Amino acid sequence: MDKKMDNYSSNAAAVSAVLNNYFTGVFTGDTSLLRQVFHPEALVAGDINGHSYFKSLAQYLHGVENRQSPFELNEKFRMEILSIEIINSIAVAKVRLPMFDFNYYDLLSLTKAEGKWVIVNKLLTNVSL
């Protein structure tokens, strides 16, 4: 395997690990884990059923802390990575998070900061089933 492919593979594995930790944090309500995968200045924006949604990371985490998690509600874990695109030290991931009778799709922007991949932007929407 050439160096370029090896670098892509290691970055893809690292980004996938961040996304899986993101899923675990959302599913279990683990905000300390979510703090590890998000950059402290990350923004969360989008729409939920046509209603605009825009929050700082602190506001988003506050909401996660103050709700019952899908895990606590005995929901089945169905979150999945749909795609990952990596260019140098930036990445975009498309993920699906069905939970709470919602069918969320997120577009997550990541960057490699100080050798570690972190989510810097979360765009979300609910797609009706």
Side-chain angles (χ1 to χ4, degrees):
M1 186 181 312
D2 68 32
K3 187 173 179 352
K4 203 172 210 177
M5 276 306 293
D6 186 44
N7 189 40
Y8 180 85
S9 297
S10 64
N11 280 322
V15 169
S16 293
V18 169
L19 297 175
N20 284 313
N21 283 338
Y22 166 65
F23 291 156
T24 300
V26 169
F27 188 74
T28 63
D30 185 341
T31 54
S32 67
L33 184 57
L34 290 172
R35 277 187 190 85
Q36 292 174 35
V37 299
F38 279 95
H39 186 278
E41 295 179 40
L43 294 176
V44 180
D47 76 275
I48 301 173
N49 299 335
H51 298 283
S52 186
Y53 184 98
F54 194 90
K55 296 190 176 190
S56 68
L57 179 62
Q59 291 168 321
Y60 169 70
L61 293 176
H62 180 76
V64 171
E65 282 175 340
N66 291 289
R67 62 144 166 89
Q68 277 194 292
S69 71
F71 177 76
E72 291 169 318
L73 295 170
N74 293 315
E75 289 193 18
K76 183 178 173 194
F77 183 92
R78 300 177 293 147
M79 300 174 185
E80 60 183 331
I81 298 169
L82 301 175
S83 66
I84 299 172
E85 200 168 322
I86 302 170
I87 304 169
N88 293 329
S89 64
I90 62 171
V92 176
K94 180 179 173 184
V95 298
R96 182 170 167 258
L97 297 91
M99 60 182 187
F100 303 132
D101 297 325
F102 290 95
N103 184 33
Y104 289 117
Y105 282 82
D106 293 354
L107 296 178
L108 303 169
S109 300
L110 300 94
T111 190
K112 195 172 190 179
E114 299 171 16
K116 178 183 164 197
W117 285 98
V118 290
I119 300 168
V120 295
N121 188 35
K122 170 181 170 167
L123 294 172
L124 72 141
T125 192
N126 176 50
V127 176
S128 297
L129 293 174

